[in-house]
Amino acid sequence: MDWETLARELAVPSDAKIVLLVLDGLGGLPVDGRTELETARKPNLDALAARGACGLTTPVLPGITPGSGPAHLALFGYDPLRTQFGRGILEALGSGVEVGPEDLVARGNFATLKAGLVSDRRAGRLATEKNARLCQKINAAIPSQRDIETRLYPGKEHRFVARFRGEGLSDRLSDADPQKEGKPRVPASPLAPGADRAAAIVNGYMDAVTDLLKDEPVANTILVRGFSKFPSIPSMAEIYRIRPAAIANYPMYKGLARLLGMTVIDVGAETSALFDALDKRYKDFDFFYIHYKKTDAAGEDGNFAAKVAAIEEIDALLPRLTALGPDVLVVTADHSTPAVLKGHSWHPNPFLLVSRFALPDEVTRFSERDCGRGSLGRFPALQVMPLMLAAGLKLKKFGA
Amino acid sequence: MDWETLARELAVPSDAKIVLLVLDGLGGLPVDGRTELETARKPNLDALAARGACGLTTPVLPGITPGSGPAHLALFGYDPLRTQFGRGILEALGSGVEVGPEDLVARGNFATLKAGLVSDRRAGRLATEKNARLCQKINAAIPSQRDIETRLYPGKEHRFVARFRGEGLSDRLSDADPQKEGKPRVPASPLAPGADRAAAIVNGYMDAVTDLLKDEPVANTILVRGFSKFPSIPSMAEIYRIRPAAIANYPMYKGLARLLGMTVIDVGAETSALFDALDKRYKDFDFFYIHYKKTDAAGEDGNFAAKVAAIEEIDALLPRLTALGPDVLVVTADHSTPAVLKGHSWHPNPFLLVSRFALPDEVTRFSERDCGRGSLGRFPALQVMPLMLAAGLKLKKFGA
């Protein structure tokens, strides 16, 4: 019997409020002997660690570096090895792009092509306004490819979502993105029988766009990846009998939340906006997923100091969260993003759970190494949801 | 390959004596900073912890609160997620009720009905003698329902086992028990096609009994739950090649032991009776399961002090057990029953294993938090049986 089946059998509604604060990419690696978390001054996180039970979660499997999609799925109790879908669909849903059951979507970047090689995968982090103008130009000039309606939806900086609307398009395509700079463009390749037509349409479209942009100084090509169609997945409300809300600013996380049936509470980019939204909607839901992006963004940039600052920034605002007195409060991450790696990593995530029914351990600082000595030990992220629901008395007894 | 298959392949008889002492519901939560175990004075348990290897076991899955059945199954090496049966069958077998392959059994309570609502689910914890008289009266007045023979077997206080004897009765019925006080009686509902007839018979019987008891001052209705038929399950002797005995006082645990093919050694309610039985039968078996109920009972009553006292009571008698010098001694629990929760919980169980072949760790006190630092770490209760058998040299090498 798997967790979903068990949860459907055992979940019972309760009044308890659960808050899951995800500090994206929180875990790190040492510079001069200390990780970002060990370096940061974060009295509020440390106080929570001292009050609660701590541990380390494994996002997917030891040694496996997860993308944001699988890492978040695990936190919400969906087995990331069984529930997979392209990041394109998440980005599209999060951006508010209307996606129908036959649509093929993907996420993309404007990029710079020089002498036949991709010299900058982000086109110098293009201005968001310029991105919007380019998408408009492309949509006007290239409204379709063969009988398929094509459309780009601008995102932030160099990012966009591409939608291919028409019947019979497979999403079993490799990324049309060399992933690294200094390499030539690569076409999407079919990964399954029947995906040839989708590959031809995508590649034809990308060639047409590159031709259209040939005189642009920086954004003179596009890269597209994460092809996906609309997946069907049971909602958190259905499985856990909770009323879940997501407080997030970035499209991808809002998209994932929508896919799992959470109500998405849109917020601005300021960190305080997360807590404004929580205050305002606290009475309306019993499960809150709050997503904080700055820790991951700084890690991806390889900026150790910025990541330390991002930790200190969220820490300073935590009293706004604890003042609400949630019955269950978890602070953790989806995956690690050590600044020294400039990207996601396979390392486990620091985890703390504060509740009347969690046995406090001896951990008094919230860090990778301190949490490693916590009473919860090391456990799969897939078990975060059962632990939170249990502490909220939202799971009845299994068997007599 | 699952554990059962592996055990059948590797198990070999040996002279080693294994004792598994289960302190039911042992784990707790703090009151004024200390759990029941941390509060109790228990020099003998602490000495065993110091001599042995310690850890924490997860009964079923993190966050899942197990009933006694699944929790014990895991301890005996039977996957609780794959092996399920109603508690009624356990209670019936434990009470010595003869159960045939076509019988439907359930466990029940006498209860108090006032103004159409169940005001006391336990009829004021009815005197056991009164219970016996009422069952006799009911069995005489209502010997059958339609063509089905009906019979109540009195247990302790307000408890009884109900047996419905006849062909084609399904056990896929919901509990005929509102579970909470202040609610009206609820009928058993069919949970599967073909269970309608069983539901109608059970509900008709319960109405007839309630009518018969209408002038009783306290015990004027019955509640019935845990409908089950006789399951078939391979015995511990067959899988592990051991000669197992159970020393227990409560029906449910004796029932489970019988279901797994253990020889049940009946004992009285005094704690010393457990050790009298062990002394007397020590030469006859090589695996002893000893069940101590008082820790759980006190936890269920929310009585922290009584639970502390129950721990101290068993601790004081432990020299009688260690004097026998078992080759393998495990002290653990089936599940936690924190007094603050007044019921089972999902928290892991303290575990200690003493044997010539167990590596002692640094743990010197037997408690939830101390065991959390033990060398065995946190592991599924399903691995307790392999660890005990291994330490008793009752498992041969896997592969060449």
Side-chain angles (χ1 to χ4, degrees), chain A residues 143-378:
Chain A
S144 64
Q145 186 68 18
R146 300 197 197 174
D147 52 335
I148 298 296
E149 180 195 318
T150 58
R151 194 170 175 87
L152 298 187
Y153 294 84
K156 289 185 181 165
E157 299 177 331
H158 50 282
R159 303 177 190 92
F160 59 78
V161 169
R163 188 184 71 188
F164 300 85
R165 171 158 280 182
E167 304 215 333
L169 291 176
S170 167
D171 60 0
R172 302 287 293 130
L173 299 176
S174 67
D175 291 344
D177 182 337
Q179 309 287 358
K180 286 191 175 163
E181 285 158 1
K183 303 214 166 186
R185 290 171 59 212
V186 292
S189 301
L191 300 176
D196 302 51
R197 181 166 151 264
I201 286 162
V202 165
N203 294 327
Y205 177 70
M206 290 182 68
D207 289 345
V209 170
T210 303
D211 191 55
L212 180 72
L213 299 179
K214 64 178 183 292
D215 296 327
E216 284 291 329
V218 183
N220 63 352
T221 191
I222 59 172
L223 310 175
V224 177
R225 63 193 185 282
F227 293 96
S228 40
K229 302 191 75 167
F230 199 91
S232 114
I233 187 166
S235 78
M236 291 174 75
E238 180 189 335
I239 302 174
Y240 307 133
R241 303 182 69 185
I242 54 175
R243 290 165 294 134
I247 301 177
N249 172 250
Y250 271 62
M252 147 72 207
Y253 310 94
K254 293 192 281 187
L256 180 61
R258 283 207 182 91
L259 211 53
L260 304 181
M262 287 189 240
T263 298
V264 173
I265 302 172
D266 248 313
V267 292
E270 306 75 35
T271 304
S272 61
L274 300 173
F275 301 101
D276 294 341
L278 184 66
D279 277 336
K280 200 167 157 195
R281 305 301 301 277
Y282 193 65
K283 65 183 180 311
D284 302 333
F285 303 92
D286 64 353
F287 179 93
F288 297 88
Y289 152 56
I290 306 178
H291 181 260
Y292 180 62
K293 180 69 176 174
K294 286 187 181 175
T295 31
D296 176 64
E300 292 265 6
D301 288 344
N303 192 333
F304 191 95
K307 193 167 161 191
V308 169
I311 294 166
E312 294 181 346
E313 181 183 342
I314 191 88
D315 184 82
L317 288 164
L318 282 184
R320 293 194 55 189
L321 168 48
T322 48
L324 292 169
D327 299 279
V328 182
L329 170 58
V330 164
V331 183
T332 189
D334 48 349
H335 55 76
S336 297
T337 309
V340 299
L341 275 168
K342 293 190 187 185
H344 294 197
S345 79
W346 59 93
H347 301 89
N349 299 308
F351 177 92
L352 71 81
L353 185 153
V354 173
S355 134
R356 246 184 89 196
F357 305 121
L359 183 64
D361 50 31
E362 291 178 353
V363 176
T364 56
R365 284 176 308 191
F366 189 58
S367 77
E368 299 84 351
R369 287 184 267 209
D370 287 284
C371 286
R373 290 188 291 271
S375 60
L376 297 173
R378 176 142 174 190

Side-chain angles (χ1 to χ4, degrees), chain B residues 287-305:
Chain B
F287 178 94
F288 297 88
Y289 152 57
I290 305 178
H291 181 259
Y292 181 61
K293 179 70 174 174
K294 286 188 182 176
T295 31
D296 176 63
E300 291 266 5
D301 288 343
N303 192 333
F304 191 94

Side-chain angles (χ1 to χ4, degrees), chain A residues 1 357 360 362 383 386 390 398 400, chain B residues 62 65 67-69 87 347 369 373:
Chain A
M1 192 186 297
F357 305 121
E362 291 178 353
Q383 295 171 353
F398 170 66
Chain B
T65 297
S68 300
R87 183 151 167 165
H347 301 88
R369 287 184 265 212
R373 290 188 292 271

Side-chain angles (χ1 to χ4, degrees), chain A residues 1-3 6 9-10 355-362 373-377 379 383 386-387 389-393 395-400, chain B residues 28-30 35 56 60-70 80-82 84 86-87 107 252 300 340-341 344 346-347 368-369 373 378:
Chain A
M1 192 186 297
D2 64 3
W3 158 238
L6 206 54
E9 187 182 317
L10 302 180
S355 134
R356 246 184 89 196
F357 305 121
L359 183 64
D361 50 31
E362 291 178 353
R373 290 188 291 271
S375 60
L376 297 173
F379 62 102
Q383 295 171 353
L387 282 178
L389 293 173
L393 305 184
L395 291 176
K396 63 181 180 186
K397 189 159 65 175
F398 170 66
Chain B
L29 284 170
T35 66
L56 289 174
V60 176
L61 285 173
I64 301 302
T65 297
S68 300
L81 292 170
R82 285 172 45 192
Q84 290 184 60
R87 183 151 167 165
R107 59 195 187 118
M252 147 75 207
E300 291 266 5
V340 300
L341 275 168
H344 294 195
W346 58 94
H347 301 88
E368 300 85 352
R369 287 184 265 212
R373 290 188 292 271
R378 179 145 172 185

Side-chain angles (χ1 to χ4, degrees), chain A residues 88-165:
Chain A
I89 191 76
L90 301 178
E91 200 93 9
L93 286 166
S95 305
V97 175
E98 184 258 314
V99 184
E102 288 293 330
D103 296 349
L104 173 66
V105 296
R107 60 196 187 115
N109 286 4
F110 284 101
T112 308
L113 198 62
K114 198 177 278 179
L117 302 178
V118 175
S119 63
D120 184 343
R121 283 184 66 250
R122 298 182 180 86
R125 291 198 182 265
L126 199 65
T128 301
E129 305 72 40
K130 172 74 174 171
N131 176 343
R133 283 198 303 277
L134 286 178
C135 285
Q136 201 170 22
K137 174 178 170 180
I138 294 165
N139 291 338
I142 314 170
S144 64
Q145 186 68 18
R146 300 197 197 174
D147 52 335
I148 298 296
E149 180 195 318
T150 58
R151 194 170 175 87
L152 298 187
Y153 294 84
K156 289 185 181 165
E157 299 177 331
H158 50 282
R159 303 177 190 92
F160 59 78
V161 169
R163 188 184 71 188
F164 300 85
R165 171 158 280 182

Side-chain angles (χ1 to χ4, degrees), chain B residues 112-365:
Chain B
T112 309
L113 198 61
K114 198 176 277 180
L117 302 177
V118 175
S119 64
D120 184 342
R121 283 185 64 248
R122 297 180 181 87
R125 291 196 182 267
L126 199 65
T128 301
E129 305 71 40
K130 173 72 175 171
N131 176 343
R133 283 200 302 278
L134 285 178
C135 286
Q136 201 169 22
K137 175 178 169 179
I138 293 165
N139 291 338
I142 314 170
S144 65
Q145 186 68 18
R146 300 195 197 175
D147 52 335
I148 298 298
E149 180 196 319
T150 58
R151 194 170 176 85
L152 298 188
Y153 294 84
K156 290 186 181 165
E157 298 177 334
H158 50 283
R159 304 178 189 93
F160 59 77
V161 168
R163 188 185 70 189
F164 300 85
R165 170 159 281 181
E167 304 217 332
L169 291 176
S170 169
D171 60 0
R172 300 287 293 131
L173 299 176
S174 69
D175 291 346
D177 182 337
Q179 309 287 356
K180 285 188 176 164
E181 285 161 0
K183 304 214 166 186
R185 291 171 59 212
V186 292
S189 301
L191 299 175
D196 302 51
R197 181 165 151 265
I201 285 162
V202 166
N203 294 328
Y205 178 69
M206 291 182 67
D207 289 344
V209 169
T210 303
D211 190 53
L212 180 72
L213 299 179
K214 65 176 180 292
D215 296 326
E216 285 290 330
V218 182
N220 63 352
T221 192
I222 58 170
L223 310 175
V224 177
R225 61 194 187 283
F227 293 95
S228 39
K229 302 190 78 167
F230 199 92
S232 114
I233 187 166
S235 78
M236 291 174 74
E238 181 189 335
I239 302 174
Y240 307 133
R241 304 183 68 184
I242 55 176
R243 290 165 293 134
I247 301 176
N249 172 250
Y250 271 63
M252 147 75 207
Y253 311 94
K254 292 191 281 187
L256 181 61
R258 284 211 179 89
L259 211 53
L260 304 182
M262 288 190 239
T263 298
V264 172
I265 302 172
D266 248 312
V267 292
E270 306 74 36
T271 304
S272 60
L274 300 173
F275 301 100
D276 295 341
L278 184 65
D279 277 337
K280 200 168 158 193
R281 305 300 302 276
Y282 194 64
K283 64 184 180 313
D284 301 333
F285 303 93
D286 64 352
F287 178 94
F288 297 88
Y289 152 57
I290 305 178
H291 181 259
Y292 181 61
K293 179 70 174 174
K294 286 188 182 176
T295 31
D296 176 63
E300 291 266 5
D301 288 343
N303 192 333
F304 191 94
K307 194 168 162 191
V308 170
I311 294 166
E312 294 181 346
E313 182 183 341
I314 191 88
D315 185 80
L317 289 164
L318 283 182
R320 292 193 57 188
L321 170 48
T322 47
L324 294 168
D327 300 278
V328 183
L329 170 58
V330 164
V331 183
T332 188
D334 48 348
H335 55 75
S336 297
T337 308
V340 300
L341 275 168
K342 293 188 186 186
H344 294 195
S345 79
W346 58 94
H347 301 88
N349 299 308
F351 177 93
L352 70 81
L353 185 153
V354 173
S355 134
R356 249 182 87 198
F357 307 119
L359 182 65
D361 51 31
E362 293 177 354
V363 176
T364 56
R365 284 176 308 191

